[in-house]
Amino acid sequence: MQFDDDARLDTSQVEDRRGLPGGRAAVGGGLVGILAVLVAVVFGVDPALFGVSDDPVAPPVGQATSSAQLQSACRTGADADRRQDCRILATVNSLQNFWKSEFARRQGQYAPAATVLFTDRVATACGTASSAVGPFYCPSDRKAYFDLGFFDLMTTRLGARGGPFAEAYVVAHEYGHHVQNLTGTMAKVGGDRQGADSASVELELQADCYAGVWTHHATTTPQASTGRPLITDLTDQDIAQALDAAQAVGDDRIQQRATGRTNPETWTHGSSAQRKQWFTTGYRTGDMAQCNTFD
Ligand SMILES: [Zn+2]
């Protein structure tokens, strides 16, 4: 995964709330020993559904952030090649640029979604969430939330190989949920949130497919600001990283690692094979109309 060295990054798309009060002190356990929790919620849509509580200690949504640091560190594509947080920011830039143009092509209107980087816990319009829920998208405030520590956990606890494009896949999956929020698909899921045939699984697999659609177009869609693609190169190895990550976060694989058994009745995201398959469908076709997981 290679970025256009000279491209300027749009830091306004990422809020940096790492290390803010309401974070570390209030948390027990952090990212350690939470595999059981992740079984239920890894890559979740709405933490309010997963026992996330209101917390008076947490900072209010919209509190002043430490984004100034990110702004000075992440100026160009060269910074994105060097630093993980700048790479996540640049990935968000690329994703939103693609979806904006794709919505326009389909006579739709894309509304941008900010990404929030946090450590340990974060206040959102969906409630206060801890890192234990994994990366998530909150439809109420239209923001994607990432504790970058999850990417370590993905390799150490979930057995993924990791790598830059494994991380990009996770970011792209969350922006897939944002697309579903804008198109109204997310609202259709309702209470059908568990089981191999549930609407939740269909929603999650579609988000994987949308991640693949972006991947297909990532190196060819020009950024509005430069006229050149922000991502200049994706290799077979990058795609393999994404597929490996998709496999690692399959419900059957997570359950097998955690308990030695699989139980399709409690699936929320789909099996390893399904997640790989739907990412691949999006990646091969580049066509969101092929992401018909609900049919
Ligand atoms: Zn998801």
Side-chain angles (χ1 to χ4, degrees):
M1 183 181 199
Q2 196 77 38
F3 293 91
D4 174 4
D5 278 355
D6 301 325
R8 292 202 68 81
L9 305 182
D10 179 0
T11 53
S12 72
Q13 294 182 4
V14 174
E15 293 174 33
D16 192 355
R17 297 193 210 161
R18 291 174 293 179
L20 283 185
R24 285 183 189 288
V27 178
L31 289 170
V32 183
I34 57 165
L35 193 56
V37 179
L38 277 167
V39 167
V41 300
V42 72
F43 293 178
V45 174
D46 181 353
L49 296 163
F50 298 115
V52 175
S53 60
D54 290 329
D55 182 349
V57 179
V61 175
Q63 172 172 321
T65 69
S66 59
S67 294
Q69 239 176 337
L70 201 71
Q71 278 165 21
S72 59
C74 305
R75 293 175 184 278
T76 67
D79 296 326
D81 285 330
R82 244 190 327 262
R83 279 176 60 134
Q84 182 193 37
D85 50 0
C86 302
R87 189 173 68 236
I88 301 302
L89 165 67
T91 301
V92 169
N93 286 175
S94 170
L95 277 158
Q96 301 217 87
N97 180 70
F98 166 69
W99 285 115
K100 189 179 176 192
S101 67
E102 181 64 10
F103 271 59
R105 205 172 65 76
R106 296 171 172 272
Q107 277 78 49
Q109 181 88 44
Y110 180 79
T115 273
V116 178
L117 302 182
F118 71 99
T119 39
D120 298 331
R121 67 188 319 173
V122 66
T124 82
C126 298
T128 299
S130 91
S131 297
V133 301
F136 65 94
Y137 172 76
C138 170
S140 306
D141 58 22
R142 291 182 168 182
K143 290 177 182 176
Y145 292 86
F146 301 90
D147 182 329
L148 297 181
F150 173 78
F151 294 127
D152 297 328
L153 188 145
M154 199 165 71
T155 55
T156 57
R157 298 265 157 168
L158 301 179
R161 264 179 288 155
F165 206 71
E167 299 175 7
Y169 151 72
V170 173
V171 178
H173 172 96
E174 297 307 334
Y175 275 84
H177 285 314
H178 177 55
V179 168
Q180 293 171 322
N181 193 20
L182 294 178
T183 57
T185 311
M186 189 170 275
K188 286 188 208 157
V189 171
D192 186 12
R193 302 208 56 90
Q194 236 183 37
D197 301 322
S198 65
S200 172
V201 166
E202 290 166 338
L203 188 81
E204 295 297 335
L205 294 175
Q206 188 178 62
D208 284 336
C209 188
Y210 287 170
V213 170
W214 163 74
T215 304
H216 177 99
H217 295 282
T219 57
T220 53
T221 307
Q223 293 291 116
S225 53
T226 60
R228 300 189 307 273
L230 178 54
I231 297 173
T232 56
D233 191 39
L234 288 178
T235 63
D236 290 347
Q237 198 192 344
D238 290 316
I239 304 306
Q241 286 177 5
L243 290 169
D244 175 72
Q247 187 168 298
V249 294
D251 285 324
D252 53 346
R253 171 96 168 252
I254 292 176
Q255 288 179 340
Q256 190 72 41
R257 284 181 75 90
T259 67
R261 314 172 41 188
T262 64
N263 178 11
E265 283 172 25
T266 59
W267 287 4
T268 53
H269 290 69
S271 69
S272 294
Q274 287 176 309
R275 300 197 72 165
K276 271 176 77 171
Q277 179 212 318
W278 281 106
F279 175 86
T280 302
T281 297
Y283 173 58
R284 290 232 175 101
T285 65
D287 178 6
M288 67 187 292
Q290 300 303 315
C291 300
N292 51 351
T293 58
F294 288 89
D295 289 354

